[in-house]
Amino acid sequence: MSEERKLSASSRQQMRCGLRFFYDVTAHRPQACLAVPVARQPQKLPEILSREEVSRVIEATRTLRERLLLMLAYGGGLRVSEVTHLRWTDLDRDRGLIRIEQGKGKKDRYTVLPRGVVETLDRYRKVFPPKSERLFPSRRDPQRALDVTVVQKIYYGAKRAAGVEKQGGIHALRHAFATHTLELGCDLPTLQRMLGHGTSRPPCATCT
């Protein structure tokens, strides 16, 4: 039936939940719903942006703040929430490191601060002198972090302006970072640490 009606996995799952509620709660016959299979969501691999596509997206940003946001997201392989919560003290220019405090899984870690980002960071500081400890404060309240939905809109706008048609939100920059870093010869354990999948030991110098 699902093939004939071309139902998505989520629609099939909603129907299953409705049937289960009916038999479990209304009809008091929980055993009658055991034969209804769970609808599995199809697993798809992300579309990886090339280096040229990443450059085009970053170049298509409208402001210095937007450019730095995307440069840090890609350059350090950060999650969008990690970008928005960065503080000035998290950036170690001398060692070329970004400290992520209490990332996913409540773990601290280090990732790379590429040399190419530092110049943009210096320009950003001159144009936007810090009003708080946050690198990207909310415009309404400098003590609060920029909302992640704002950054997603920035990414989608830049991607559209760049003519990049690959699917996915700003998390695609993190996937691109991982792929491109491996292609440059970084070993997998170090990459996992930078992405927050391992220990909090700083990355090796060869991967900066």
Side-chain angles (χ1 to χ4, degrees), residues 10 12 17 19 25 38 50 90 124-125 127-128 152 162 195-196 203:
S10 59
R12 298 198 302 273
C17 290
L19 287 169
V25 179
V38 176
S50 67
D90 294 330
Y124 176 78
R125 184 159 194 152
V127 176
F128 301 100
Q152 284 283 14
L195 293 172

Side-chain angles (χ1 to χ4, degrees), residues 144-172:
R144 298 183 62 182
L146 187 66
D147 194 282
V148 295
T149 58
V150 175
V151 188
Q152 284 283 14
K153 289 178 180 178
I154 289 172
Y155 174 77
Y156 280 120
K159 187 174 73 166
R160 187 165 50 250
V164 175
E165 298 181 353
K166 288 181 178 176
Q167 299 298 309
I170 193 173
H171 203 73

Side-chain angles (χ1 to χ4, degrees), residues 94-113:
D94 295 335
R95 298 168 65 201
L97 295 174
I98 302 173
R99 182 176 184 269
I100 305 301
E101 185 175 349
Q102 296 296 285
K104 189 175 182 179
K106 299 298 182 181
K107 295 183 293 185
D108 293 350
R109 75 177 193 278
Y110 289 96
T111 186
V112 290
L113 174 63

Side-chain angles (χ1 to χ4, degrees), residues 74 77 172-183 186 191 195:
Y74 170 68
L173 294 179
R174 179 172 159 90
H175 289 307
F177 165 83
T179 301
H180 300 164
T181 302
L182 280 176
E183 291 173 348
C186 183
L191 175 61
L195 293 172

